[in-house]
Amino acid sequence: MSSVRLRAQSATSSLRWLILASLGYVAPSACGGRAASGPDQPPTDEDDGSGGLTAGPAGGGNGPSAGTNGGAGRSNAATGGWNSTTGGAVEPPTPPGVHRACYQPTSLGGGFERCGDGVVRRPAAGTCPSELPRATLFNPAQLLEFDRIIADNGITPDQLRAWRPCLKDSDCDGFRHGYCWVAFEGGVWTGESALTQCKYGCTTDAECGGPRVCMCGSPIGLCTNATCLSDSDCPGDLSCTQYESGPGCGSQAPLAFACQAFEDACSVDADCPGAYCLYNGSRRECGQVGCPVPGRPFLVGKGPRVAKLAARGDWFSSEALSREPVHPLIASDPALRDELTLAWTEMALMEHASIASFARFALHLLSIGAPPELLAAATRAMQDETRHAQACFALARRYGGQDVGPGALDLRGTLSACDFESIVLAAVREGCIGETVAALEASEAAEHCADPSTRQVLEAIAREESEHAELAWRFVAWALRQARPALVEQVRCLFKAAHAGHLATAAATSLRDRTFLAFGVVTPAHRERLTQRAWRETVVPCADALLHSLGTLTTAVPECASSTLY
């Protein structure tokens, strides 16, 4: 096994045991055995690609024994457990008509077609058309809007390249099938940290590499994850159909393709009143899940909220870091430099929003009478996130050459849900899930980062994000001990539903992923792989341990899909 792989396992194991310790378990003994304060053993350290392992509570004797290597752990909902595959729920029978015949098919190009009920399938592979290069991108009204936005944000001529890297498709020549994307919807600027961006498409599956297909679109196809390329890859008369791997993300939701299964409970969201049709890696089932975002998100409603970007120079942790020379590879590649600028800017805005998330968490703790040590940890986390945001803004300045910082953050509606139940479920989403993934993402980026200054920033972020994740799990454990059994069941359902959105096979690591990782940036595709690993190696076993420590669940909420979790 490579040293990099061993270090990655070590980072994952350290975080897992940090969280398990806060739930009452102790770390493995130095002799290679495992010690726990009770007779039941916590999850194992082996990275065997399996699902979660069940574990009993520290000092208790009611939990089932740990699962065996090579298979997903099994636990029973009646005893308080959560199963990584089924969530402990009884498998529903396949309703009639899930695998309906495709009526009124409409060709989408490239071998794809949309059926009358909304199912998108791919009977056979094909080639997607291309509209590139386009003769005209902007109308006079858009150009005037550009000028207004530039003036309102105080953007200087030297800063224009980062805000408007392209005005025509031919400006995007960093890779094949480049085109200029405009951050406007319905003629209104979406508030992105750039007015335009260079993006790159495809016309065939071969150009995507790995287990991905080229999904046709305008102005060109885009690569999307897939475990099948066409119906011929699927058993019997089943089809290779599309699913949404990030329900609740709106137009930015990542799409993917997988074979239908005989055990499917749904085909499209319309089959799931009040819920989504989710793919869990082997079958489609109805459930609830939220939009995955990096870090501890500041969730308002169904999505994350961040401040708009502002031209200001007072949010840098280090003036020296913000003005350090960049690597020669970046200096000679304007397109790469622009993408790194955008990535660090987006991370900075997310870290800035995390300050608000912890501020709200501190208010929530006060509102429910939480212990002082939890409140003290929450206020320290706010200071940590402030440093993280300052460091990321400094790196955005380093790559982009412009002074950037956060504008005013919209706080409308951010304290509307302050009941005990909503506070606990928000902590699960933002902390137990979001912060745990963020910690492992920062560790991965630091491990592979070739730039010493950036690596130092990422190492500090990884260490502190791990502490934030542990705080979230510790709070949820405390809160659920005070709660009605029905809330414990809702938390189990929330873990199960969120996990279902991250079970599909992610694409293999690409050259582009490795290039960005060398400069401390995790691409969306690589983030999905890390998220799957975080679930498999940390979130699943820790959720198992948490729920087993709470004992018997109620039967008041028998079906997870019936709970409104988002």
Side-chain angles (χ1 to χ4, degrees):
M1 184 178 293
S2 70
S3 60
V4 170
R5 178 61 171 158
L6 286 172
R7 287 193 295 271
Q9 282 193 11
S10 176
T12 302
S13 178
S14 297
L15 177 58
R16 181 169 67 249
W17 281 107
L18 175 67
I19 295 169
L20 287 172
S22 73
L23 300 178
Y25 294 96
V26 296
S29 70
C31 300
R34 286 167 178 71
S37 54
D40 300 304
Q41 299 299 310
T44 65
D45 277 315
E46 282 80 2
D47 176 25
D48 58 4
S50 65
L53 301 177
T54 60
N62 298 324
S65 60
T68 56
N69 292 340
R74 303 289 177 184
S75 59
N76 191 309
T79 61
W82 169 67
N83 181 275
S84 66
T85 303
T86 66
V90 177
E91 293 293 330
T94 303
V98 166
H99 298 147
R100 300 171 285 266
C102 184
Y103 65 93
Q104 298 179 336
T106 302
S107 175
L108 302 177
F112 299 95
E113 62 184 24
R114 186 185 303 277
C115 303
D117 58 0
V119 173
V120 176
R121 67 171 190 166
R122 200 186 202 197
T127 300
C128 290
S130 171
E131 302 168 12
L132 304 179
R134 294 165 292 179
T136 305
L137 289 182
F138 308 111
N139 58 43
Q142 285 178 313
L143 293 175
L144 287 174
E145 182 69 1
F146 278 1
D147 292 339
R148 185 192 66 78
I149 294 169
I150 289 168
D152 289 350
N153 287 273
I155 302 170
T156 67
D158 291 338
Q159 298 169 342
L160 268 180
R161 189 183 65 164
W163 275 74
R164 196 179 61 192
C166 59
L167 285 175
K168 55 185 183 297
D169 291 335
S170 58
D171 291 334
C172 302
D173 56 1
F175 200 61
R176 61 174 170 249
H177 305 309
Y179 64 97
C180 189
W181 177 81
V182 188
F184 280 81
E185 289 182 3
V188 179
W189 183 41
T190 60
E192 302 281 344
S193 52
L195 295 172
T196 63
Q197 293 180 34
C198 281
K199 295 193 174 185
Y200 299 90
C202 60
T203 57
T204 65
D205 297 344
E207 292 175 340
C208 295
R212 294 195 289 176
V213 296
C214 184
M215 179 67 184
C216 302
S218 179
I220 196 169
L222 293 176
C223 294
T224 187
N225 292 344
T227 55
C228 57
L229 301 183
S230 67
D231 289 354
S232 62
D233 295 329
C234 303
D237 295 330
L238 300 178
S239 294
C240 180
T241 62
Q242 187 184 74
Y243 66 92
E244 190 175 316
S245 59
C249 297
S251 61
Q252 301 303 311
L255 302 173
F257 280 80
C259 288
Q260 295 172 321
F262 293 109
E263 299 80 14
D264 284 347
C266 58
S267 290
V268 291
D269 289 347
D271 297 330
C272 305
Y276 296 104
C277 184
L278 306 174
Y279 179 66
N280 68 8
S282 60
R283 62 188 290 268
R284 290 166 171 83
E285 60 184 3
C286 296
Q288 299 282 350
V289 67
C291 178
V293 294
R296 184 185 182 110
F298 184 43
L299 295 175
V300 182
K302 288 189 175 182
R305 182 177 293 179
V306 298
K308 290 187 177 181
L309 195 65
R312 57 190 298 183
D314 58 343
W315 265 85
F316 300 148
S317 59
S318 168
E319 185 68 21
L321 175 62
S322 72
R323 299 186 183 278
E324 270 191 17
V326 298
H327 190 278
L329 173 63
I330 301 175
S332 62
D333 189 341
L336 175 60
R337 185 166 183 164
D338 287 343
E339 289 196 75
L340 288 173
T341 300
L342 181 63
W344 281 108
T345 300
E346 291 176 343
M347 282 190 281
L349 291 173
M350 285 298 302
E351 296 286 0
H352 173 262
S354 294
I355 305 171
S357 180
F358 274 112
R360 181 172 61 185
F361 180 49
L363 291 174
H364 284 165
L365 291 175
L366 289 170
S367 73
I368 61 176
E373 58 268 18
L374 292 178
L375 183 61
T379 56
R380 287 194 300 272
M382 288 175 59
Q383 297 173 332
D384 295 341
E385 299 292 4
T386 302
R387 289 193 301 273
H388 299 175
Q390 290 176 305
C392 291
F393 278 121
L395 288 168
R397 165 66 176 79
R398 180 188 182 195
Y399 291 118
Q402 62 172 314
D403 291 345
V404 290
L409 180 62
D410 182 4
L411 296 180
R412 289 173 296 180
T414 58
L415 290 175
S416 57
C418 289
D419 59 283
F420 190 89
E421 176 184 292
S422 298
I423 290 171
V424 174
L425 295 178
V428 172
R429 290 192 294 267
E430 297 180 0
C432 298
I433 297 173
E435 205 77 60
T436 299
V437 174
L440 294 177
E441 179 179 321
S443 295
E444 177 84 355
E447 180 62 44
H448 295 278
C449 184
D451 179 70
S453 299
T454 305
R455 184 169 62 250
Q456 186 175 8
V457 168
L458 290 167
E459 288 171 345
I461 291 177
R463 181 176 61 254
E464 290 167 351
E465 297 286 11
S466 295
E467 295 170 357
H468 301 170
E470 183 271 337
L471 167 62
W473 287 91
R474 184 154 44 104
F475 162 72
V476 171
W478 171 83
L480 291 182
R481 286 194 293 270
Q482 330 296 318
R484 298 186 304 273
L487 180 56
V488 180
E489 174 67 3
Q490 282 191 284
V491 169
R492 181 185 71 83
C493 290
L494 177 51
F495 276 122
K496 175 181 180 291
H499 187 219
H502 294 288
L503 284 174
T505 303
T509 304
S510 67
L511 176 60
R512 183 177 185 275
D513 296 335
R514 291 192 291 270
T515 299
F516 279 85
L517 201 56
F519 297 102
V521 172
V522 174
T523 63
H526 191 46
R527 178 174 295 119
E528 182 58 33
R529 287 189 294 275
L530 289 176
T531 300
Q532 291 180 6
R533 197 178 86 197
W535 274 99
R536 183 178 68 247
E537 301 175 9
T538 303
V539 180
V540 165
C542 290
D544 241 358
L546 168 67
L547 293 167
H548 273 293
S549 72
L550 297 169
T552 304
L553 297 180
T554 181
T555 57
V557 190
E559 295 295 337
C560 287
S562 66
S563 301
T564 302
L565 304 176
Y566 281 83

